[in-house]
Amino acid sequence: MPPSTALAKGARITGGIFCLVFFLYTAFWLCYDLSQFGFPAVWDYWTGARPPGLNTVSNSTQFCLALVQLSGAIAAFAGRRTAGGLMAVATTFTFATAVQTMVSVGSHTGDNRWFLHAQIDADPFEAVFLGSPVLALLAFVTGIVLLAGMRSWPRRAPSLPPMRPVKVAGVVAGLVLGAVALCSVIWQIYMLVQSGGAADALFMLYLGKGILSSLTSLAPGWDALILLMLAVIAALSCLIRGTAARGLALGLATMLLPNALLTVIGPGFSGQLFKISGAAPGQSVLGIVQVALDLFGSLALFALMAKGEPVAPGWQPPAPAPRFGGPGFVPPGPQGPQPGGWQPPVPPPGGPIPGPMSGPMPGGPVPPQAGPVPPMPGPAAPPV
C-alpha cells in the first residue's frame, strides 16, 4: 500500500473554526451591501448592468469566497475527506483578499485614487481597513495549522483511509484544471504585452490602482496569479491521485462557477459577451474562452469529484493484541464448545465430586482390619 497523508482531527477542527470566522466576516459585508443598496442594485452590479454604489464593500467574487468558506467549515465539522482541500482554497483566497484590501484601502487618498467609487470619510472605509490586517493574520495562522496538521496514514490510532479520485476522473480533472491554468497564463502574457511593461500598467493590473470597484475587490492580475497557483497544484494532485485533489478541485469549481453564471446571465443575455471588440479582439476572444472554460469546466469538476475511492479498499484497522492476565483470564474469541479442541472440565449436575477429606468420617474412624480382604459381592472374574 503506498504511503498517504490525511489531515489530523485537531487540525481539521481548528481549520473549520477559522473558516467559519472567515465566512462570518465575508457574510457581514455582503449583508451590509444588501441593506445599504438593496438586492436589485447589488444584482445589477454583479451582472454588470450598472456601476456599484458609493463605498460598496463586496462583489460577486466575495460571494463565491463565502460559499467556499462555508463549505470548508461544514466539511471540517462533518469529518469529510474533502475538508482539507476546501479549507486550503478558502484560506488562500481569504489571505489574498486581505492583502489586497490592506494595500488598496491603505493607499487610497483624494489625490491617489485606487477605487472608482469610494470616499475616505464614509462609514465602512475605516472598518474595512482595520479588519483586513486581522483577517490576513488569521488566514496566515490557518495556513500553518493546515500544513502542520498533515499526518502520514496509516497511523497507530485506527482511522478510515483517505479518499482519492477515481483513475479516469483524476486524469480528466487534471486536464481541465491544467487548461484553466494555461488560460490564466495566456491572459497574463497578453495583458503584459499590451501594457508594454509600463509601471503604471503593472500597478493597475496586479495592484488594481485606479480600477477597483469595491473595497474588497481583487486586482485582475492578482486574482489570476492566485488562481494559477491553485490550479497548478490541484491539477498535479488530480493527476497523481492525491488525497487533497478532490477538495482542491471542488473548492476551485465553487470559486469559478458562480462568476461564470453571472457573466452569462448579464452580458450573455444582452449580447455583449460574444461580441468581438474591434479595439481589443484578442482580449474578447480570451474572455469568451475563459467564461466557457469556467462554466463547463466547473460543472465537469463537480461531476468528476463527487465520488472518490479509498486509498486502501480492503483495509481494516488492526485488532489489538491480546494481553494475558492472571488467574481467571479468558482469552478473546468464541467461548462455546469447539470441535476437536480442548474443553474445560464441566462439573456433574449433582454438584462437585467429593475428594479425600482430612476430617473425620461420619460415624467415627474405621479401624484397620487384619487378614485377607473379603471379596466384593458380584459376578466372579473369569479365570485367566
Side-chain angles (χ1 to χ4, degrees), residues 367-376:
Q369 299 186 8
V373 180
M376 297 295 293

Side-chain angles (χ1 to χ4, degrees), residues 248-318:
L248 290 172
L250 291 175
L252 287 176
T254 307
M255 285 295 301
L256 296 175
L257 182 60
N259 269 334
L261 289 174
L262 290 172
T263 304
V264 172
I265 291 172
F269 285 177
S270 62
Q272 299 297 321
L273 176 62
F274 302 102
K275 186 178 180 181
I276 305 299
S277 173
Q283 186 175 356
S284 300
V285 173
L286 283 176
I288 295 172
V289 173
Q290 188 170 4
V291 169
L293 184 59
D294 291 349
L295 179 61
F296 297 106
S298 300
L299 294 175
L301 289 177
F302 278 119
L304 293 170
M305 299 291 111
K307 275 191 175 184
E309 64 177 16
V311 296
W315 184 84
Q316 295 292 335

Side-chain angles (χ1 to χ4, degrees), residues 35-105:
S35 63
Q36 290 292 318
F37 306 104
F39 180 78
V42 171
W43 175 260
D44 290 341
Y45 163 51
W46 287 3
T47 55
R50 70 167 67 177
L54 186 62
N55 282 353
T56 302
V57 180
S58 59
N59 51 24
S60 58
T61 303
Q62 294 300 302
F63 173 73
C64 302
L65 180 58
L67 293 179
V68 181
Q69 292 166 345
L70 182 60
S71 301
I74 293 176
F77 295 143
R80 301 295 182 185
R81 292 300 186 182
T82 56
L86 286 170
M87 289 190 292
V89 175
T91 302
T92 304
F93 272 101
T94 302
F95 181 77
T97 302
V99 171
Q100 172 74 76
T101 305
M102 282 192 299
V103 173
S104 56
V105 177

Side-chain angles (χ1 to χ4, degrees), residues 98-321:
V99 171
Q100 172 74 76
T101 305
M102 282 192 299
V103 173
S104 56
V105 177
S107 304
H108 180 81
T109 61
D111 299 329
N112 186 22
R113 300 190 64 82
W114 287 61
F115 300 96
L116 296 174
H117 307 87
Q119 288 183 352
I120 301 176
D121 55 351
D123 292 336
F125 200 91
E126 184 177 358
V128 171
F129 176 70
L130 294 177
S132 57
V134 178
L135 189 66
L137 179 61
L138 291 179
F140 182 75
V141 172
T142 307
I144 295 178
V145 169
L146 294 178
L147 291 176
M150 299 302 295
R151 297 289 185 268
S152 60
W153 187 91
R155 298 190 295 269
R156 180 174 300 180
S159 61
L160 295 176
M163 303 292 288
R164 62 182 179 181
V166 184
K167 188 173 183 179
V168 178
V171 174
V172 177
L175 295 177
V176 171
L177 291 168
V180 172
L182 181 61
C183 187
S184 176
V185 171
I186 294 175
W187 181 84
Q188 292 184 70
I189 294 176
Y190 177 83
M191 296 302 295
L192 289 175
V193 171
Q194 290 295 110
S195 63
D200 293 340
L202 293 179
F203 268 87
M204 180 183 66
L205 181 62
Y206 289 101
L207 295 179
K209 182 179 179 181
I211 62 172
L212 297 178
S213 57
S214 62
L215 298 182
T216 57
S217 57
L218 295 174
W222 179 235
D223 189 12
L225 281 178
I226 300 300
L227 180 62
L228 172 62
M229 179 188 68
L230 289 176
V232 169
I233 296 174
L236 293 176
S237 184
C238 287
L239 291 176
I240 65 175
R241 302 175 67 197
T243 54
R246 296 176 63 238
L248 290 172
L250 291 175
L252 287 176
T254 307
M255 285 295 301
L256 296 175
L257 182 60
N259 269 334
L261 289 174
L262 290 172
T263 304
V264 172
I265 291 172
F269 285 177
S270 62
Q272 299 297 321
L273 176 62
F274 302 102
K275 186 178 180 181
I276 305 299
S277 173
Q283 186 175 356
S284 300
V285 173
L286 283 176
I288 295 172
V289 173
Q290 188 170 4
V291 169
L293 184 59
D294 291 349
L295 179 61
F296 297 106
S298 300
L299 294 175
L301 289 177
F302 278 119
L304 293 170
M305 299 291 111
K307 275 191 175 184
E309 64 177 16
V311 296
W315 184 84
Q316 295 292 335

